């Protein structure tokens, strides 16, 4: 029996040392390999224990209880209580209950966590208003929503104002037949003054609170003015003559800068949020990015001073929208032969993405509360489509218009103050009987409602955009508390 073993215990195999110089010269050292010492093993016993169960299975006969008792007694006396090889002598240890409890709790918490609810988007318009005599012209811009929560729309020779706070409508002006029809409208940042472009090439500026003509800008364009855009006190006008002119409305000689690059009518104009870059689209299928520092004076006519010139669209470029959460991101939409929405890095001029929408793109609006883009379309579906940016997965398609949706407008945030129409049933009759069916809106600072005007002569309101986070709304409310008195101006 090997030393240091209790009497009657089973001999254990000897494991040689891995040391390089063994202390006992009689012990062989095998380096890093483990080779069991066969001399310390009872090979006969091992052979018997391995083959005994196999023999019983081969015989196939079930031993009698007396034979089984005899076999166990014989094994106990002769085999010295040796058990089968690779058999557990003791039960395996129980798992740690505390770890299992924690795992179960984690799984339960994940399963109990509510899934993010998909936002409900109404598929029909909140309200539909009649808009007779709306000019069916893709190249015009006849709808705008000012920061004072007043919507302006041009119907033929007349501009009407609809106050979303009170639900009232009024006529601002009806121009002469020689000057009309009205070809563009655009609210000034203050929400009180409004610019009106005319078919006669003139631009008028009106005070909406007093219905008073403040100024007429003439001698700049040679034909109709189809697009207007404000940048503080600068009114930018784009005409059918291809010229883009910056007009400083504070001074007598108002034409201070001219951008030249389009060979056909300018039908889209949008200033960036910073006021440093201007995007222009034209019927020549071109998209230009202009920088304020590169504009020429009227004396240096003929210079090309655009920052970037994009020729990727294959139809007129009217729909333009600057991203509210990324200052150098611009979305543009092409006409019936193009049907694409393209995204541009205006710092480098690179096209980031292009999506074929399948129909004419008439207008684009970004959601100011989320990464979403709304597009309005013409032939063939005449729908509004809500896209998730940047994946451009369709979130919803809003149907209701029966002809192309030419114009869209959303209330502009002014000094963190925004009022958007929510409606209750009400009836108002105007003096001229233009809109007989009206609603009385409830004011809401959520920025969710979008107005659309189509060639089917209807004006529709859609509750399409998501609401701002509650924390953001609370912050805006606290910041704009000093302006709360302007809530019921009209």
């Amino acid at each position: 029996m090997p030393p240091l073993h209790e009497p009657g215990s089973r001999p254990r195999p000897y494991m040689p040392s891995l040391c390089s110089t063994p202390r006992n010269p009689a012990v062989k050292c095998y380096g890093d390999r483990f080779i069991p010492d066969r001399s310390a093993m009872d090979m006969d016993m091992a052979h018997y224990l391995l083959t005994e169960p196999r023999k019983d299975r081969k015989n196939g006969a079930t031993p009698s209880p007396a034979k089984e008792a005899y076999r166990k007694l014989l094994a106990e006396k002769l085999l010295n209580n040796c058990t089968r090889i690779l058999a557990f002598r003791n039960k395996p240890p129980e798992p740690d209950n505390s770890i299992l409890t924690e795992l179960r709790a984690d799984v339960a918490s994940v399963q109990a966590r509510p899934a993010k609810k998909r936002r409900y988007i109404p598929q029909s318009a909140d309200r539909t208003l009649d808009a007779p005599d709306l000019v069916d012209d893709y190249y015009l811009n006849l709808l705008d929503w000012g920061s004072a929560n007043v919507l302006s729309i041009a119907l033929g020779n007349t501009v009407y104002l609809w106050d979303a706070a009170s639900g009232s409508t009024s006529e601002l002006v009806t121009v002469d037949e020689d000057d009309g029809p009205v070809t563009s409208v655009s609210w000034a940042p203050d929400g009180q003054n409004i610019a009106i472009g005319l078919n006669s090439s003139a631009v008028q500026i009106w005070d909406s609170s007093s219905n008073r003509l403040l100024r007429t800008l003439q001698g700049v364009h040679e034909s109709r003015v189809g697009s207007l855009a404000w940048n503080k006190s600068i009114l930018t006008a784009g005409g059918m003559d291809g010229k883009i002119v910056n007009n400083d409305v504070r001074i007598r000689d108002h034409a201070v800068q001219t951008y030249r690059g389009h060979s056909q009518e300018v039908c889209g104009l949008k200033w960036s949020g910073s006021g440093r870059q201007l995007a222009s689209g034209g019927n020549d299928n071109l998209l230009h990015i202009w920088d304020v520092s590169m504009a020429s004076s009227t004396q240096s006519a003929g210079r090309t001073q655009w920052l970037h010139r994009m020729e990727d669209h294959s139809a007129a470029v009217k729909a333009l929208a600057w991203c509210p959460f990324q200052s150098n991101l611009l979305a543009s939409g092409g006409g019936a032969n193009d049907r694409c929405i393209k995204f541009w890095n205006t710092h480098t001029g690179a096209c980031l993405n292009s999506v074929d929408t399948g129909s004419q793109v008439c207008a684009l609006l970004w959601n100011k509360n989320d990464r979403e883009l709304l597009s309005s379309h013409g032939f063939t579906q005449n729908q509004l489509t809500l896209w998730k940016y940047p994946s451009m997965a369709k979130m919803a398609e809003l149907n209701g218009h029966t002809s192309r949706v030419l114009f869209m407008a959303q209330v502009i945030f002014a000094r963190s103050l925004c009022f958007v129409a929510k409606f209750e049933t009400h009836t108002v009759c105007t003096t001229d009987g233009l809109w007989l069916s009206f609603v009385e809106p409830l004011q809401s600072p959520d920025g969710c409602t979008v107005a659309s005007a189509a060639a089917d002569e209807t004006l529709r309101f859609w509750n399409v955009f998501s609401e701002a986070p509650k924390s953001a709304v609370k912050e805006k409310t606290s910041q704009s508390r000093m302006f709360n008195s302007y809530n019921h101006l009209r």
Side-chain angles (χ1 to χ4, degrees):
M1 180 180 294
L4 302 179
H5 277 70
E6 296 182 2
S9 62
R10 179 182 175 183
R12 297 181 181 176
Y14 173 73
M15 181 181 294
S17 173
L18 298 180
C19 61
S20 58
T21 307
R23 297 178 183 177
N24 186 359
V27 178
K28 296 180 180 181
C29 183
Y30 298 95
D32 60 348
R33 298 180 61 196
F34 169 66
I35 302 177
D37 188 358
R38 302 295 183 183
S39 62
M41 295 183 179
D42 190 342
M43 303 303 293
D44 294 335
M45 178 64 68
H47 181 267
Y48 170 76
L49 293 174
L50 285 171
T51 57
E52 179 191 16
R54 190 179 305 169
K55 291 179 180 178
D56 294 341
R57 288 194 297 271
K58 286 182 178 180
N59 294 336
T62 303
S64 63
K67 187 176 181 180
E68 183 66 23
Y70 173 75
R71 188 188 66 78
K72 290 182 179 180
L73 182 61
L74 185 64
E76 181 181 351
K77 296 300 182 181
L78 298 180
L79 303 180
N80 199 19
N81 288 326
C82 291
T83 58
R84 289 181 56 202
I85 297 177
L86 301 179
F88 286 109
R89 296 189 179 184
N90 299 315
K91 291 184 178 181
E94 294 291 335
D96 191 349
N97 291 331
S98 61
I99 297 178
L100 285 178
T101 303
E102 293 178 3
L103 290 175
R104 291 191 185 102
D106 293 341
V107 172
S109 64
V110 171
Q111 293 177 348
R113 188 179 303 165
K116 185 177 180 181
K117 293 183 179 180
R118 186 173 181 179
R119 178 164 60 88
Y120 171 71
I121 302 172
Q123 298 297 302
S124 58
D126 281 354
R127 183 59 54 180
T128 301
L129 306 178
D130 292 328
D133 298 327
L134 182 70
V135 179
D136 182 7
D137 193 326
Y138 176 80
Y139 304 100
L140 306 184
N141 293 272
L142 305 179
L143 182 70
D144 196 21
W145 202 332
S147 59
N149 203 23
V150 178
L151 188 77
S152 62
I153 184 169
L155 303 177
N157 294 337
T158 305
V159 176
Y160 292 92
L161 305 180
W162 180 73
D163 191 335
S166 63
S168 61
T169 185
S170 61
E171 177 183 323
L172 176 65
V173 60
T174 298
V175 300
D176 296 335
E177 290 291 339
D178 295 339
D179 294 328
V182 177
T183 53
S184 55
V185 293
S186 180
W187 283 101
D190 60 5
Q192 179 174 339
N193 298 327
I194 183 172
I196 300 172
L198 302 176
N199 192 58
S200 63
S201 77
V203 177
Q204 297 179 351
I205 301 176
W206 286 77
D207 184 345
S208 62
S209 60
S210 60
N211 282 30
R212 183 168 58 94
L213 177 62
L214 301 178
R215 187 170 187 183
T216 301
L217 309 179
Q218 292 179 326
V220 176
H221 293 282
E222 300 172 5
S223 53
R224 71 179 186 182
V225 179
S227 54
L228 296 168
W230 287 88
N231 185 11
K232 298 179 181 179
S233 60
I234 300 296
L235 175 60
T236 305
M240 185 179 278
D241 54 10
K243 288 194 301 183
I244 302 172
V245 180
N246 285 344
N247 300 277
D248 191 336
V249 298
R250 301 168 297 180
I251 59 179
R252 180 182 297 274
D253 297 328
H254 51 84
V256 293
Q257 292 171 322
T258 302
Y259 300 96
R260 300 178 182 272
H262 291 284
S263 59
Q264 297 187 38
E265 182 171 13
V266 179
C267 51
L269 280 178
K270 280 290 187 300
W271 280 99
S272 64
S274 64
R276 300 295 303 172
Q277 290 185 333
L278 173 69
S280 67
N283 193 31
D284 52 7
N285 308 345
L286 296 179
L287 170 64
H288 286 97
I289 305 297
W290 313 85
D291 190 275
V292 291
S293 61
M294 302 176 68
S296 67
S297 63
T298 54
Q299 285 78 13
S300 57
R303 289 181 53 191
T304 56
Q305 61 278 336
W306 57 76
L307 180 62
H308 299 294
R309 179 172 185 160
M310 292 81 159
E311 303 178 1
D312 297 45
H313 284 289
S314 55
V317 184
K318 175 194 174 186
L320 299 172
W322 289 90
C323 180
F325 51 83
Q326 188 174 339
S327 60
N328 64 325
L329 178 61
L330 174 71
S332 64
N337 293 330
D338 182 79
R339 306 180 303 276
C340 290
I341 298 175
K342 298 182 184 294
F343 298 90
W344 308 89
N345 183 336
T346 59
H347 288 172
T348 63
C351 182
L352 306 177
N353 192 13
S354 180
V355 178
D356 190 344
T357 66
S359 56
Q360 181 184 44
V361 183
C362 300
L364 293 170
L365 283 178
W366 286 96
N367 183 355
K368 295 175 171 58
N369 300 326
D370 206 344
R371 293 175 180 266
E372 298 170 355
L373 180 68
L374 183 67
S375 58
S376 70
H377 298 272
F379 312 115
T380 56
Q381 301 180 37
N382 308 315
Q383 85 283 11
L384 280 73
T385 303
L386 183 62
W387 309 83
K388 187 67 177 178
Y389 183 83
S391 65
M392 292 305 287
K394 285 186 181 181
M395 299 180 63
E397 284 195 348
L398 311 178
N399 298 292
H401 286 290
T402 58
S403 187
R404 55 181 178 174
V405 188
L406 294 167
F407 318 110
M408 285 198 303
Q410 181 188 21
V411 66
I412 302 172
F413 289 87
R415 297 181 179 180
S416 301
L417 190 62
C418 170
F419 307 107
V420 181
K422 298 286 185 182
F423 306 99
E424 287 182 347
T425 304
H426 192 61
T427 303
V428 175
C429 183
T430 64
T431 55
D432 55 4
L434 177 63
W435 292 329
L436 298 179
S437 244
F438 261 98
V439 289
E440 184 166 312
L442 302 175
Q443 297 170 13
S444 173
D446 53 13
C448 300
T449 304
V450 171
S452 64
D456 58 8
E457 297 187 346
T458 62
L459 177 65
R460 299 173 188 259
F461 295 88
W462 311 83
N463 187 21
V464 59
F465 284 148
S466 60
E467 295 184 3
K470 293 183 179 180
S471 58
V473 173
K474 186 180 295 184
E475 182 180 352
K476 287 182 180 181
T477 303
S478 61
Q479 290 178 354
S480 61
R481 193 162 294 167
M482 66 181 67
F483 302 104
N484 287 347
S485 58
Y486 294 101
N487 193 352
H488 300 283
L489 275 178
R490 286 187 286 277

